[in-house]
Amino acid sequence: MSQLTNLQRVMAAEDLPSASISSNETKLSALVIAHAILNPYVTKWDIDRFAEPRPHAADKTKYFQYPQWGHISDPATVLDVHGRVMLWYLPGIIPPERVKHLNRIHLPLKGSLVKHSKRKNESSMRFGHRHVPELDGRDMDPLADAIFGHGRLMNSPATFQQGHLRLQDKVYESSNLKIPAVKEWLHEISYAAEFWNSISGLVLPDLARIGKDIIAAKGDWVVTQPPSGTQWPSIYVGIDVIVNQEIPPHLDKVSAPSLLDLLVSLGTHDAQFHVSDLGSIFSYQPGTMIYLAGKLLHYSVPKWEKGERIALAHYMKDAVHNRFGLARPSFTQQKDLLGKFLQT
């Protein structure tokens, strides 16, 4: 870890460009990824069998032994028994100065955040709860003056209308893409999103390929009324901006087992990321990226003590992929990653 630690020390005093990624940031990401590959946590599961429904079991512990790995703070991967990657944990892959830049980009979204779902049947697990720190006997709500506000903003360039998931149903842009503040936010964050696309191409190559294919194909399928003209920068078809909200234990119901979600941690907080199926708690400080099989692994972000939390939850929509005629990607194998990095 000495090379990684030395680079992080150098970057702590480095001024970064405001709208592009520096060469040291690229080196930092490569080192964090390399350390994660060389620090695997291996379950005793076959991920395909773990993914099969168990309708007569309250949980899967009857069939699968859950590991109890405790607190994890160093870069790591989580593998099934055959070496297939179900989670990437990449703490510190975004340096503190870059986090500050990205935090500022989110300030104009404060007025557009939705505090509660407008849909009567919207799952509370998907929307989460407002985070209110301990008041210490005070009557004032400390989030009343939150710099970044609180709530959620759901964005997608290709989504079904509620209750319509059939192959013959039409696909639309989410209405949020017409909000001027959202359009400006997507423009401002595009350089970072493109870099995160490159990281996805390294750690989840099949997923990244499918993501590029669906973004390229959406122009032939998506109905826009009227067209928003918004340029979508990510290979993921959904990005939720989550600000100062706790996230209760839940699964990603719109994805597929091999369509790993991407969570990007920003803000100023000291939150932790819980994955109950692994018996593990991951440090989730700003600058952390986590890819995980959200369709299979229950995860949550409970109340934290200090600061404000911004999270960018990237996800794929399996029904949209199916509508566009795209197959699900295979899981990434650790042996393939080792071979790739040994060659470079």
Side-chain angles (χ1 to χ4, degrees), residues 23-99:
S23 59
N24 272 344
E25 287 178 277
T26 302
K27 293 176 185 176
L28 174 66
S29 64
L31 285 172
V32 173
I33 292 168
H35 280 285
I37 293 172
L38 297 175
N39 185 29
Y41 288 75
V42 184
T43 70
K44 296 181 179 180
W45 316 330
D46 177 307
I47 193 63
D48 291 328
R49 293 179 173 87
F50 185 79
E52 293 173 356
R54 303 286 175 174
H56 302 297
D59 59 53
K60 294 186 177 182
T61 56
K62 180 178 178 181
Y63 301 94
F64 301 93
Q65 181 180 351
Y66 286 11
Q68 297 296 322
W69 290 325
H71 191 269
I72 298 175
S73 58
D74 291 331
T77 48
V78 175
L79 315 176
D80 82 341
V81 70
H82 302 297
R84 291 176 288 188
V85 181
M86 65 180 88
L87 186 149
W88 282 92
Y89 174 56
L90 305 172
I93 194 167
I94 305 173
E97 191 64 26
R98 179 62 60 199
V99 170

Side-chain angles (χ1 to χ4, degrees), residues 248-268:
H250 72 291
L251 295 173
D252 181 353
K253 296 181 179 180
V254 304
S255 188
S258 60
L259 293 174
L260 273 64
D261 300 328
L262 166 60
L263 293 311
V264 178
S265 177
L266 303 172
T268 59

Side-chain angles (χ1 to χ4, degrees), residues 4 13-14 49 51 87 102 106 118 159 241 257 276 322 324 327 342:
L4 175 58
E14 180 181 7
R49 293 179 173 87
L87 186 149
L102 295 173
H106 288 80
K118 297 178 181 178
T159 187
V241 182
S276 57
N322 190 32
F324 289 10
L342 288 174

